[in-house]
């Protein structure tokens, strides 16, 4: 078979910098903002003409972190919403023979060579291969089968609530450019049990979710038979201990967080 090489047309700029932080689908990244910056000197200004008239677009991109980390591909993978491995071609997993992804994003506006988008599940630095308009009558099929997801929601979503302390901590972080709230909600909506996509450990009567450099303490809230299953997030903690914060200037945000909230790591709840 012939081999083909592609040159990216641009790059994504996004607040999502780690693989673990990225929502697993664009629909789980509701409102998330990003820009697609196209490369100058190729006539892409003309190529973008008319794109702003569309509400949504397909973005074809490279799973560059998988390439950089030499992760290769896997014939079978464990999706976040499954309890058993599935053939990779029956999933949206990034572990593919050709590490190409696609996302349907909402177009906010187009300025010069920059496309401003919302609902973006794309990591910062993602190489973009192509942009195509999302055509509702051709791309949306109301009668489409959902494959292994047809089974009445294989993992019914959990309701996630935030205690006042956690709510204040997340708001403080958001003011400083660290957006964790939706990532916490997305991760915990799949339940309190550990999974390949969720770093969860028991911590006394509570449990702790590892998310990037932060730790999230939560517990299950009893619900009546007719009510939704609920998880309550108690607090957010830095993933670093005091000695590291004292000597590493790159951890200034974590140090400020510890100074603000009066602790570094959560105590074990009884």
């Amino acid at each position: 078979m012939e081999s083909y090489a592609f040159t990216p047309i641009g790059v994504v700029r996004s607040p999502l910098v780690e693989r673990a932080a990225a929502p697993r689908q664009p629909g789980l990244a509701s409102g998330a903002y990003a820009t697609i910056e196209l490369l100058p000197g190729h006539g892409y200004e003309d190529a973008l003409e008319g794109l702003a008239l569309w509400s949504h677009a397909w973005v074809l991109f490279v799973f560059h972190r998988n390439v950089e980390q030499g992760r290769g591909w896997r014939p079978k993978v464990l999706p976040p919403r499954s309890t058993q491995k599935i053939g990779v071609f029956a999933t949206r997993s990034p572990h593919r023979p050709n590490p190409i992804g696609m996302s349907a994003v909402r177009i906010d506006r187009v300025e010069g060579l920059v496309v401003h988008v919302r609902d973006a599940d794309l990591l910062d630095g993602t190489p973009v291969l192509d942009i195509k308009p999302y055509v509702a009558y051709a791309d949306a099929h109301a009668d489409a089968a959902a494959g292994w997801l047809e089974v009445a929601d294989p993992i019914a979503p959990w309701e996630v609530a935030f205690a006042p302390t956690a709510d204040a901590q997340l708001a403080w972080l958001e003011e400083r450019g660290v957006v964790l709230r939706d990532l916490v909600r997305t991760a915990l909506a799949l339940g309190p049990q550990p999974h390949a996509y969720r770093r969860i450990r028991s911590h006394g009567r509570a449990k702790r979710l590892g998310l990037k450099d932060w730790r999230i303490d939560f517990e299950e809230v009893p619900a009546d038979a007719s009510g939704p299953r609920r998880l309550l997030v108690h607090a957010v903690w830095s993933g670093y201990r005091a000695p590291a914060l004292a000597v590493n200037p790159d951890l200034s945000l974590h140090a400020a967080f510890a100074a603000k909230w009066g602790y570094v790591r959560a105590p074990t709840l009884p």
Side-chain angles (χ1 to χ4, degrees):
M1 293 289 291
E2 191 77 23
S3 294
Y4 299 90
F6 296 94
T7 301
I9 62 172
V11 65
V12 172
R13 298 303 178 197
S14 160
L16 304 174
V17 297
E18 297 182 8
R19 294 170 69 254
R24 302 301 166 186
Q25 301 290 348
L28 300 177
S30 180
Y33 173 80
T35 59
I36 301 172
E37 300 179 1
L38 301 192
L39 302 175
H42 297 275
Y44 293 151
E45 295 90 343
D46 292 337
L48 286 171
E49 186 174 344
L51 181 64
L53 299 176
W54 298 86
S55 65
H56 292 74
W58 291 108
V59 179
L60 277 72
F61 60 91
V62 178
F63 289 111
H64 67 299
R65 290 294 175 83
N66 278 29
V67 175
E68 294 169 356
Q69 297 170 8
R71 290 180 173 269
W73 75 285
R74 304 172 189 171
K76 285 193 171 184
V77 296
L78 181 64
R81 301 193 71 79
S82 175
T83 57
Q84 62 182 9
K85 289 189 174 182
I86 307 291
V88 71
F89 293 145
T91 74
R92 306 288 191 93
S93 169
H95 303 290
R96 321 188 73 79
N98 293 305
I100 298 172
M102 67 180 216
S103 290
V105 299
R106 178 160 48 98
I107 299 173
D108 192 65
R109 65 188 187 279
V110 178
E111 295 178 336
L113 286 171
V114 180
V115 183
H116 299 258
V117 300
R118 299 279 181 179
D119 306 344
D121 60 340
L122 303 163
L123 291 181
D124 188 60
T126 294
V128 175
L129 299 177
D130 201 1
I131 301 172
K132 303 176 185 290
Y134 177 95
V135 184
Y137 77 84
D139 294 344
H141 301 276
D143 59 346
W148 54 272
L149 281 173
E150 286 279 13
V151 186
D153 200 344
I155 303 180
W158 290 65
E159 183 179 289
V160 180
F162 298 91
T165 296
D167 191 62
Q169 291 172 319
L170 291 168
W172 188 90
L173 288 170
E174 287 164 10
E175 291 173 357
R176 289 153 181 82
V178 179
V179 182
L180 294 178
R181 189 184 305 269
D182 287 344
L183 299 178
V184 171
R185 186 178 284 114
T186 296
L188 295 184
L190 295 176
Q193 301 306 318
H195 186 279
Y197 289 92
R198 298 189 297 280
R199 295 183 294 155
I200 295 176
R201 294 181 178 179
S202 295
H203 197 66
R205 65 180 173 82
K207 292 190 176 182
R208 177 166 293 167
L209 167 69
L211 194 64
K212 302 174 63 175
D213 295 333
W214 303 92
R215 304 294 178 262
I216 316 298
D217 277 6
F218 68 95
E219 66 177 329
E220 185 174 348
V221 178
D224 57 45
S226 60
R229 298 178 298 175
R230 298 183 66 239
L231 297 174
L232 178 65
V233 176
H234 288 291
V236 181
W237 314 91
S238 169
Y240 295 96
R241 298 186 181 277
L245 299 183
V247 299
N248 191 340
D250 292 336
L251 300 180
S252 58
L253 177 64
H254 286 261
F257 182 89
K260 168 69 177 178
W261 301 103
Y263 39 66
V264 179
R265 293 294 296 272
T268 301
L269 297 179

